[in-house]
Amino acid sequence: MIQKQLAGWNASAPVVEVDGLSIAYSGRTGDTAVLHDVSFSLGRGDTLTLVGESGSGKTTTAQALIGLLAANGRITHGSIRLGGLDVTEWSSKQWLRLRGSHIGLVPQDPHNSLNPVRRIGDSLAEVMNLHRFGNAPATRRRVIELLERVQISEPELRVKQYPHELSGGMKQRVLIASAIAMRPALIIADEPTSALDVTVQKTILDLLDELRAESGTSVLLVTHDLAVAADRATHVIVLKDGRVQEQGPSAAVLWHPQAQYTRALLADAPALSAAVRTSDDVRAQLALSQHAEPVVVVNDLVQVFSRGRTLPGLRAVDSVSFEVRRGMTHALVGESGSGKSTIARAVMGFQKPTSGGILVDGVDMTSVSGQQLRQARRRLQMVYQNPFGSLDPRQSVQQILVEPMSNYRIGSARERQQRMLAALDRVSLPATMAAKRPHEMSGGQRQRVAIARALVLEPTVLVLDEAVSALDVTVQASILELLSEVQRELGTAYLFISHDLAVVRQVAQTMTVLSHGVAVESGITEDVFASPQHPYTVTLLDAIPGRRAQSRAL
Amino acid sequence: MSYILGRIGQAVIVLAIAFTAAFVLLQALPGDALLIKFESPESGLSPDQIALLRDSLGANIPIWQQFFDTLGGFLVGDFGYSVQSGTPVSVIIASALPNTLVLATSAFVVAIVLAVALAVLAQLSWLPWLRTMLRSLPSLFISVPVFWLGIVLIQVFSFRLGWLPVINPGPIEGLIMPVAALALPIAAPMAQVLIRSIDDVLTQPFIAVVRSKGASEWWILSRNVARNAVLPALTIAGLLLGELISGAVITETVFGRAGIGRATEQAVTNQDAPVLQAIVVISAAIFVLVNLLVDLLYPLLDPRLKTIATVNA
């Protein structure tokens, strides 16, 4: 065990004691309070989860605990004690001794959290060099030992590699190894898995759990995902707008919530809610539309990407077939690299498939080009994951919504104006929004604008590529509600692409599970959930956060 | 490997284009050096004698043949003869080049030192007003022309203060002011790019992770930011070399130093095409060579580019 050299650190005191903490950020218009009177304590070996939406103050709290508030942030009231030490007034120099040695941080986005021009071994040794772990051979041995501990294969090879040569899950393991290198008393994990695939998310959280159990380290887990909290935490704090809504043992908070807000959060969490329809409902719906031609028919689709002269081509999509019927939703589910977005691009006619057929509303998307393709796209619109990236920041909402109509020369200026207002109304945005620009809106409002833009052309098919993945759970719930409302009223067919099985269960009647470009399973969503046939589907279903907690509660 | 060969191939093509462009432009000049030298009334030569001279100097053979003769000469290192003085161009270049290389290299090194020092100070200064001031320095100096700076330096340090002689200075003393005049306008854009790229790197999430390990600001800057931030600065450094070459011409003229700059100025005045042709091609060669080096350095500094380079290969 490494000696805790820091004078005053008391191993028998609670690792974290926060008392009446208030934090404000100063800006041009004066101070903005972001955290109000938050108190909690975290004992040795416990996991405390801070749950809340963006802007709830959960990350600010975590930053304060490691002395890394933004330059304009300061503690206005209350105190923070770590291992019995009052660190509230500490200078940045005092913090240097504590950071890394007593507190480890696991960051949110593993892809950008390792220095791109340093070898993995050097990045991992850095924390040990900073805190004088030992001489070079001892540090090297510890690096290998740590990589083995976080289950990274071939550690001797990995230390010489650079971050871009590792997968996201592996990078996060390296970052966890770095956080635990000095055997800290506290690990702060700020949304450690939100940038990772669901199966990877599970293994990473399992690893954190194991480390906590074996070394008695306390974990402060920051997440927006109640289901993750439910699975992992001994204690839960629910934050909203910088105020504690509810706190206590996780079972009490999650299964007997007292606060109105916690109940709303639980109701909106797709992973914790029950099925919205039975497979018999879907069968009846399918029977009704049997005589009509499906609006999207994908038949034996193959997409091969060339990888240079030496390597064989990559079969990104391998003989995939599915149908989408009018007024219904078909989901493509899979992890990154499964080929789901490639299929979406082929359906949109952005890229010609190697072989196979795609019929959209009777048009063969594999053979049309030029004017015909342009006309076909009018019936076929797309909504992307990141509403900020897919809206022109220099255009007002009005310009964004009118542009597709001017593009296809639909109606007079007045009619366009009317349709623009109707589209805003359809996505429940006030007409006053028309003058705003994307940066003046919230993430949920932006995604509503993106949906409104897709709807002004009255398409028969909407391709939704991870359209709700970047949104907070309450916003996500309202967008999903909006989508099903639009579908009921306009009969639009949705091709819904997602890695999130819990969301898919809520919106899609039928689904296809993709793995490495192959459709391993497809059918009615509830049937797949009730009795998955393929082992990969079972893995995916097991990885849905909240399942563990649910089975415990039953 | 084929990444390197590809880059070298590109460099050769650029050089060939520079040679051709220079040749065409110099030939397209109205009048030529022979006219300036012999056809003025003072030379007292008759039109017949001039025609004979033109023949013997090869001025009357077809232009495309001249082109290939010159090109062939350049390939074996024969740059021809100065029309004005009759000395071989290679002799003129050989006597002028070392002076200019000393000037340009010193200026380049000083510029890098200045730029790095400024960027680091701007980052580590604890006084906000000092930071702001250091950050606004580069944009001020970018807009300062070399010739003006040279004249001001001479005015202040030689004439007013009398610290540095302008006429017949020693080898070191003679370098100080020309190097300063040349280095400052180059240091400025370099510092600007460095400050920007350090700012960019500091906002990256991995810096927050390093900070969470207990690293001080100096540790972060020297061990994590530096190598990431130097890439954009390297690109600019390669491009600023062009600035350095043209700056050398002006500096040498202002300070009356012998060198390529002076040789260029004289050759232009006399329309001495062979000398100009050689200077243009040699300057282009240096420029291309340095930028080739920069290109080859990238993969060494940023391992991500190495992968791309081998994948493309």
Side-chain angles (χ1 to χ4, degrees), chain B residues 1-10 292 294-299 305-306 308-310 312-313:
Chain B
M1 196 59 218
S2 77
Y3 165 77
I4 299 173
L5 285 180
R7 282 295 148 100
I8 293 175
Q10 283 174 8
L292 178 70
V294 168
D295 276 354
L296 297 181
L297 261 177
Y298 278 141
L305 297 167
K306 201 181 294 175
I308 295 165
T310 44
N312 284 347

Side-chain angles (χ1 to χ4, degrees), chain A residues 24 33 35 47 143 177 254 256 285 312 317 352 358-359 386 412 426 447 475 507 512 518 522-523:
Chain A
L35 205 64
T47 300
V143 164
L254 293 165
H256 309 285
Q285 209 178 346
V317 179
K352 296 277 170 224
I358 302 169
L359 280 177
N386 178 354
S412 64
R426 153 96 40 228
Q447 198 59 305
V475 182
V507 296
T512 300
V518 181
S522 66

